[in-house]
Amino acid sequence: MADELAAAEKLYSEAVHETPPNRTKLDELVDLLCANPRLLYDGFFKKAHEAASIVVDVCHGLDDAQEDDNLSILTPPAAWGWTVMEETVCHAPPAELMETVYPQLAQQFLELADRTLEHMETTPVPIVRSAVQALTRFWPEIIRACISRSSGNPDWKKMYSHMLKLADTVTLLPERTDDPALLARLAKFLETEATIFTAVAPASDSKRDVLSLGMLPAAHPYIFKSRLAQRGEAARQQLLRLLPSGDHTVRCNTSFITAIINSIVYLMNLRPQFCESILERLTDWYAAINASGQTLTDVQLTIIGKALRIALLHLYTRRYMGAYSEILEKTLDQIGGPEWSAWQEQQARNRERRERQRAREREQMARQQQKQKEDEEAHSARWVPAPEEGDVDMADQPAPGAGGAGDVSASVPPPPPPPLSARGAPGVQRQRPTTTYGHKRTARQAADDADEDEGKLSRMLEENAKRVKLDESMDADDLLAAAEPAAPAAPAAPTEEQLRALEADKAMEDEMRTALQSEPLFSLPVDEMSPSERRAQVESAIRRVIDGKVRLEKFLAHKRAVDGAVAAGAVPRVLPGGQSTNSGVLEDSMVMLVRLVTNCYVLHAEANQAKGTEDAASNTQWAGMHACVDEILKLIVDAPRERYSLALILLYELWMAVVITDPDLARMPDITQSDYTLLALYLRWCERIFDAIVKYS
């Protein structure tokens, strides 16, 4: 605190000893005092009070040592003094000062405000404005303080009575001045009274902690609810009367009228129950000034009309104004303007877009249901159980419904086809991945664990692989030869191309089956394994990633060959015999490889958390991990629009792994250096993908 006090003293000394006083340093001093409010009570309130009172003394001849020519020098410190006093009395002090020091400071503040308003004709207008603004903020605070202290210290009753007297003085300002800036401060004061001295409507902005008449106790020693309610009604009426008419041409200032409109609309925002009466007066006034044509110029009317339309439109969009939306719509229709029309058109476009979106979703859902139904029917139709030895020919069976002892089989339904996961090469049993540790949750249902996610992805990848015949030895000529349609003749012996396709099919299925089989990352709990066992597990996971990269490169080579042949128009998408050039398995392979990389990082992080574990992988090995997925990143950045959804999925996989391995993001990497952490990989992907999106947009 001593350092802050010394800095504040230095700022004050430097600011007031310059000619004229340095306003920038005075503003910096206000910020410093607000950040350290204890300094306000350690002498700076006294400095502020002296700086503000000396102007009043000079203006009324109470200090013969000063001359009127010095007012330009004394005004900036005086304005700063009012700001500091306002911050002091409008914030609760420390508890030990609330009943001792604070009442004395607040009383000094009120006495200086009384003197300033009493001689406002000779006091500089900026000082009077600062005094009215400070009283506006102090009014709710003194009410709250008096409510919580209904008895005890008589200083609070004295301050309340003094503030009530000053409020009466402020409301009489229109009879003493026509200064637009000062009357704008009066509008804010009236808005505050009209707000805090009325009850809160059931539908209002409940997020705002605004004092209301309902917070006053039913019986208070010196605060009377009925009297304050009358003040609130009078303040609301006077606020509407401030709107200039032909009789007050001096007040026809654009800034002043805009301030009045903002105060009126803000009052409706906090107290919606007055919308109907206020809007009626407001629309009548707006129609009158537009009809007269003499009070305001065309430019002023344009500015005021736009400010009024924007303020009302902003009020109309509040969620709690639903009960008053009809009258607001009527008012906006009467006032007109491009803002209201543009907003209505935008809402109409939004409704149409939502309807189109819902229609597309319904259509897509119907197509998915129809496709699912067709797939189930086709699957059932393709499944014909092979007759076993000893089965009776269907021709020897009696007709259905013909009766007899053999008719029992007619009522027995055929056995259902086995699931796709059970179909495959004879003698080979498909194994579901058994990985149970190190996986992260995805955006699927919270009840699905990591094993189910990998199992689903593995089965999907397996089914896609069955539809795609991958043979790294096949080139475009082989595909062209396979595309030639077979002549409608008797079944002949398989051609050389067909035999090669069948061999490639079997080899690819065996390879994919091996790739999809996985073993548990940790066969034992981490704490029960030795460091050497954990290192072996990590190295095994890294080898799986390298092996997955090799298989992905085969997918990519096949896709490039097929895409080139299809682009030339020589190869159809579906070849005879069911062979397909659809490479949908490619994206599944990318997801699988990225997931293997993230699981390897998760496994390494879990191993390092165990007691006695050393780093099980070098930078060279991690660099190899990053290189494994570089080809995937290159495919995405080459065509970011076509692979945008894939990019989002992979980025989500990487980010979830980052959160698992380093939840606090304790180490931010430098992606320009040789950093092979998972976060560095994620950030590099983000940068490259976003750059590609911007480039191709």
Side-chain angles (χ1 to χ4, degrees):
M1 185 62 70
D3 295 338
E4 288 81 359
L5 179 60
E9 293 285 359
K10 181 180 178 181
L11 272 176
Y12 179 75
S13 177
E14 292 176 353
V16 298
H17 284 89
E18 293 186 16
T19 305
N22 193 319
R23 296 174 182 265
T24 302
K25 291 185 178 180
L26 290 175
D27 293 339
E28 293 177 3
L29 179 56
V30 171
D31 296 337
L32 178 60
L33 294 176
C34 291
N36 301 274
R38 186 78 188 195
L39 299 178
L40 295 170
Y41 306 96
D42 291 339
F44 272 93
F45 181 89
K46 182 179 180 181
K47 288 183 173 60
H49 186 271
E50 291 175 352
S53 61
I54 193 172
V55 175
V56 180
D57 296 339
V58 169
C59 292
H60 305 299
L62 298 181
D63 189 351
D64 297 335
Q66 301 289 343
E67 297 180 358
D68 293 345
D69 296 339
N70 294 333
L71 281 179
S72 59
I73 300 176
L74 298 176
T75 299
W80 167 83
W82 276 107
T83 303
V84 172
M85 288 190 293
E86 177 183 342
E87 293 296 330
T88 304
V89 300
C90 294
H91 291 89
E96 65 272 13
L97 304 179
M98 191 65 185
E99 299 295 337
T100 56
V101 178
Y102 180 81
Q104 298 175 6
L105 301 183
Q107 192 61 43
Q108 295 178 23
F109 161 77
L110 292 175
E111 290 174 357
L112 183 57
D114 196 356
R115 290 170 53 200
T116 303
L117 293 178
E118 182 180 359
H119 305 286
M120 59 173 290
E121 288 79 3
T122 56
T123 304
V125 175
I127 304 303
V128 181
R129 290 203 304 265
S130 299
V132 175
Q133 177 179 326
L135 291 173
T136 302
R137 287 189 60 189
F138 183 66
W139 208 184
E141 300 303 324
I142 189 62
I143 293 292
R144 284 194 179 94
C146 291
I147 290 176
S148 60
R149 295 166 180 82
S150 58
S151 61
N153 195 337
D155 292 339
W156 297 102
K157 179 179 179 180
K158 182 179 179 181
M159 283 189 289
Y160 171 76
S161 302
H162 201 167
M163 183 63 209
L164 204 59
K165 174 189 172 185
L166 287 174
D168 293 334
T169 304
V170 172
T171 56
L172 297 176
L173 285 179
E175 301 177 3
R176 304 172 62 183
T177 182
D178 285 324
D179 182 81
L182 184 54
L183 292 179
R185 295 290 195 280
L186 170 63
K188 193 66 180 177
F189 184 86
L190 295 174
E191 172 205 319
T192 302
E193 280 202 335
T195 301
I196 65 176
F197 296 149
T198 53
V200 178
S204 62
D205 194 349
S206 58
K207 293 183 179 180
R208 301 184 180 276
D209 183 19
V210 179
L211 181 67
S212 66
L213 199 63
M215 297 174 61
L216 294 176
H220 196 276
Y222 50 87
I223 298 180
F224 304 104
K225 185 180 292 189
S226 59
R227 183 177 179 182
L228 294 183
Q230 294 175 0
R231 291 194 65 88
E233 177 67 23
R236 187 171 68 255
Q237 298 300 328
Q238 185 176 358
L239 179 61
L240 294 172
R241 287 197 301 270
L242 284 179
L243 291 169
S245 60
D247 299 334
H248 300 88
T249 55
V250 180
R251 301 179 187 174
C252 294
N253 179 277
T254 304
S255 300
F256 167 66
I257 297 176
T258 304
I260 301 298
I261 290 174
N262 290 336
S263 293
I264 292 174
V265 174
Y266 191 68
L267 175 60
M268 289 190 289
N269 179 35
L270 297 178
R271 299 294 182 263
Q273 65 267 31
F274 301 121
C275 276
E276 185 173 359
S277 59
I278 292 178
L279 286 175
E280 183 179 358
R281 294 275 298 274
L282 197 59
T283 52
D284 292 343
W285 168 81
Y286 186 71
I289 63 171
N290 278 277
S292 64
Q294 298 177 355
T295 306
L296 298 170
T297 64
D298 293 339
V299 176
Q300 288 178 316
L301 287 174
T302 301
I303 296 174
I304 293 170
K306 183 174 183 179
L308 178 60
R309 292 192 298 268
I310 292 176
L312 291 178
L313 181 59
H314 182 69
L315 180 65
Y316 175 74
T317 56
R318 295 288 187 177
R319 59 177 176 79
Y320 49 82
M321 297 299 294
Y324 309 96
S325 59
E326 183 176 353
I327 186 172
L328 283 169
E329 289 178 359
K330 180 180 178 182
T331 303
L332 288 168
D333 289 336
Q334 292 178 358
I335 296 176
E339 294 82 10
W340 175 238
S341 302
W343 188 85
Q344 289 179 312
E345 294 174 0
Q346 180 185 1
Q347 295 303 306
R349 289 194 299 270
N350 292 341
R351 287 192 295 269
E352 293 177 0
R353 183 165 59 251
R354 287 193 295 267
E355 287 296 332
R356 290 195 300 268
Q357 178 67 21
R358 285 193 288 266
R360 285 195 299 267
E361 292 175 355
R362 290 193 295 268
E363 183 180 355
Q364 183 179 4
M365 185 178 298
R367 286 199 303 267
Q368 291 176 351
Q369 293 175 352
Q370 180 65 23
K371 185 176 182 302
Q372 182 180 1
K373 182 179 179 181
E374 292 175 356
D375 291 344
E376 292 176 355
E377 294 176 353
H379 178 60
S380 301
R382 285 197 304 267
W383 176 253
V384 179
E388 299 180 359
E389 185 177 357
D391 286 351
V392 182
D393 191 1
M394 292 297 295
D396 300 331
Q397 298 296 325
D407 196 32
V408 179
S409 61
S411 62
V412 179
L420 292 177
S421 59
R423 300 170 58 186
V428 178
Q429 181 181 3
R430 300 190 182 274
Q431 180 179 357
R432 179 177 176 178
T434 58
T435 302
T436 59
Y437 193 81
H439 284 281
K440 56 187 175 299
R441 292 184 178 271
T442 64
R444 298 175 179 90
Q445 297 179 355
D448 294 338
D449 56 11
D451 290 341
E452 283 188 315
D453 287 344
E454 186 173 357
K456 291 179 182 178
L457 186 60
S458 300
R459 289 194 297 273
M460 180 176 62
L461 186 58
E462 180 182 354
E463 293 303 324
N464 283 337
K466 292 183 63 179
R467 297 194 302 268
V468 182
K469 318 303 179 185
L470 302 181
D471 183 10
E472 58 184 344
S473 64
M474 294 181 63
D475 53 15
D477 295 335
D478 297 328
L479 294 175
L480 288 171
E484 297 178 0
T495 63
E496 182 180 355
E497 289 80 4
Q498 291 174 343
L499 291 175
R500 293 178 60 186
L502 291 175
E503 293 176 359
D505 182 13
K506 185 176 183 304
M508 195 64 230
E509 286 199 11
D510 293 340
E511 185 177 1
M512 291 304 303
R513 186 179 305 110
T514 303
L516 293 175
Q517 291 178 357
S518 61
E519 65 279 357
L521 297 183
F522 282 156
S523 57
L524 295 174
V526 179
D527 295 334
E528 298 179 8
M529 297 175 63
S530 65
S532 60
E533 291 175 336
R534 285 190 287 267
R535 280 195 297 272
Q537 294 284 1
V538 173
E539 292 172 357
S540 174
I542 294 177
R543 287 195 298 271
R544 291 176 60 200
V545 174
I546 303 299
D547 189 51
K549 178 194 175 185
V550 175
R551 292 185 175 85
L552 179 63
E553 289 175 348
K554 293 182 180 180
F555 281 101
L556 295 177
H558 170 75
K559 182 178 185 301
R560 294 190 184 101
V562 172
D563 288 347
V566 173
V571 179
R573 279 296 178 188
V574 180
L575 304 180
Q579 187 177 6
S580 172
T581 60
N582 174 23
S583 57
V585 71
L586 176 62
E587 293 190 358
D588 298 335
S589 303
M590 293 180 184
V591 175
M592 176 64 77
L593 181 58
V594 171
R595 180 166 289 183
L596 287 174
V597 171
T598 58
N599 286 340
C600 189
Y601 272 101
V602 172
L603 172 60
H604 180 253
E606 295 289 344
N608 281 342
Q609 290 177 4
K611 183 177 180 181
T613 301
E614 299 177 357
D615 191 4
S618 64
N619 278 343
T620 303
Q621 291 175 303
W622 293 122
M625 300 278 283
H626 284 222
C628 287
V629 293
D630 280 345
E631 188 69 22
I632 300 177
L633 179 60
K634 185 177 182 300
L635 286 175
I636 293 176
V637 300
D638 287 344
R641 289 188 177 181
E642 291 78 1
R643 299 186 175 95
Y644 180 73
S645 298
L646 175 64
L648 293 181
I649 294 173
L650 297 183
L651 287 176
Y652 177 78
E653 293 283 343
L654 291 173
W655 174 246
M656 291 301 296
V658 168
V659 174
I660 292 174
T661 56
D662 187 10
D664 299 329
L665 301 182
R667 177 173 173 265
M668 292 300 294
D670 184 2
I671 60 177
T672 62
Q673 304 297 328
S674 299
D675 198 328
Y676 301 110
T677 63
L678 186 57
L679 182 57
L681 178 65
Y682 171 77
L683 294 177
R684 184 160 57 88
W685 274 53
C686 287
E687 183 181 14
R688 293 280 303 278
I689 292 173
F690 293 162
D691 289 344
I693 292 173
V694 173
K695 178 181 177 181
Y696 289 96
S697 62

